[in-house]
Amino acid sequence: RTDGLVAAALDADAQGTEGGAYLLGADEVRQVLGDEAAWVIEALHLPEHGPGLPQRRDLAALVPSPPLAAALEALGRYRRHRGRARRDDKALADWNAAWAIALVRAGRALANPAWTTRGLALARRVWDTFADPSGARHVTWHAAPRGGSAADELYLSWLALEVWELTAEQAWLARAVDSALRLMELHFLPRFGLCVAGNDPGSATPDRLDGAHPSLSSLALWHLGRLETANEVPALTSWS
């Protein structure tokens, strides 16, 4: 993205169809294959108008043959030259923080200052974009400010800790602790030692496991242990 953030993904939608950027309709198959199109359309049960998924579910049962292989190769060439899928321009807090973490850690481990510099720049951009002085988190860029998910708080805290370890700037350590405390306050199930993955602040219900996320909780436990070692915070110590 031109603003320095990382876009969420490529958008596969086209012509109002999920995956349409990668799919072919019967009309395009006729355009590519000409007189050979009819039996391919029939074999794959392709929709007549516009891109769509083949309606045939037993594609593995198709008997391989030189004509079929040639037809699929021709369609593949056409598809590759039709253009790339558009970029999905959403920028997610946790994904951008994870990318910045990867750059910072890889730059340190491999002694690559270019990666470290890029990671630090992205870290600053992430924090300026996704966290404001009131504590609100922007789950996506251009979205209305609201509380972030457990993943948002976890990755923002982890990113801040990585930058603090690299720069020794106390402001980053304070940010790491702030997001960690928000994670525990809003998304933590004390009885089970797990956090929930929902986007709604305060979605953790103390006596229920609804929405509990074991893998996210394991990552949070590892991170909070590191953070507690770096900065003695009683609330962190009680969980980690």
Side-chain angles (χ1 to χ4, degrees):
R1 290 166 51 112
T2 57
D3 59 5
L5 296 172
V6 179
L10 294 179
D11 189 350
D13 293 357
Q15 301 182 35
T17 301
E18 177 67 30
Y22 298 101
L23 302 173
L24 300 176
D27 50 349
E28 290 179 293
V29 174
R30 293 190 187 95
Q31 177 184 335
V32 176
L33 300 180
D35 294 340
E36 297 293 319
W39 70 268
V40 175
I41 294 171
E42 175 63 24
L44 298 179
H45 300 178
L46 291 175
E48 184 61 32
H49 301 292
L53 289 170
Q55 300 304 303
R56 179 167 183 158
R57 300 305 182 194
D58 58 340
L59 295 178
L62 286 175
V63 178
S65 65
L68 178 60
L72 294 178
E73 175 59 29
L75 292 172
R77 287 196 301 270
Y78 170 79
R79 166 62 194 88
R80 288 190 293 273
H81 288 87
R82 192 173 62 173
R84 296 184 59 187
R86 297 172 304 167
R87 185 176 60 194
D88 185 340
D89 214 33
K90 292 191 297 294
L92 305 180
D94 52 350
W95 291 13
N96 273 269
W99 180 231
I101 290 166
L103 287 169
V104 170
R105 289 176 67 92
R108 293 180 68 187
L110 301 176
N112 187 320
W115 290 357
T116 303
T117 299
R118 185 176 178 185
L120 290 174
L122 181 56
R124 296 185 186 99
R125 186 69 176 122
V126 164
W127 208 267
D128 289 344
T129 301
F130 295 113
D132 64 33
S134 71
R137 266 53 174 165
H138 301 253
V139 177
T140 60
W141 182 230
H142 293 314
R146 65 171 185 173
S149 68
D152 293 323
E153 299 297 354
L154 171 57
Y155 280 96
L156 284 171
S157 179
W158 183 2
L159 172 60
L161 182 60
E162 292 289 343
V163 176
W164 173 75
E165 289 180 341
L166 181 66
T167 66
E169 296 177 11
Q170 288 300 117
W172 284 105
L173 183 58
R175 290 167 178 167
V177 171
D178 175 63
S179 271
L181 291 175
R182 288 174 61 87
L183 170 68
M184 295 177 62
E185 177 186 357
L186 300 175
H187 304 284
F188 176 53
L189 297 168
R191 178 179 174 185
F192 302 103
L194 296 170
C195 57
V196 294
N199 289 328
D200 297 327
S203 57
T205 303
D207 295 321
R208 299 183 61 182
L209 280 171
D210 295 358
H213 199 300
S215 59
L216 190 68
S217 300
S218 297
L219 185 59
L221 180 61
W222 169 80
H223 168 67
L224 291 174
R226 293 178 61 218
L227 184 55
E228 190 275 329
T229 301
N231 190 79
E232 186 73 23
V233 178
L236 298 181
T237 305
S238 65
W239 197 60
S240 60

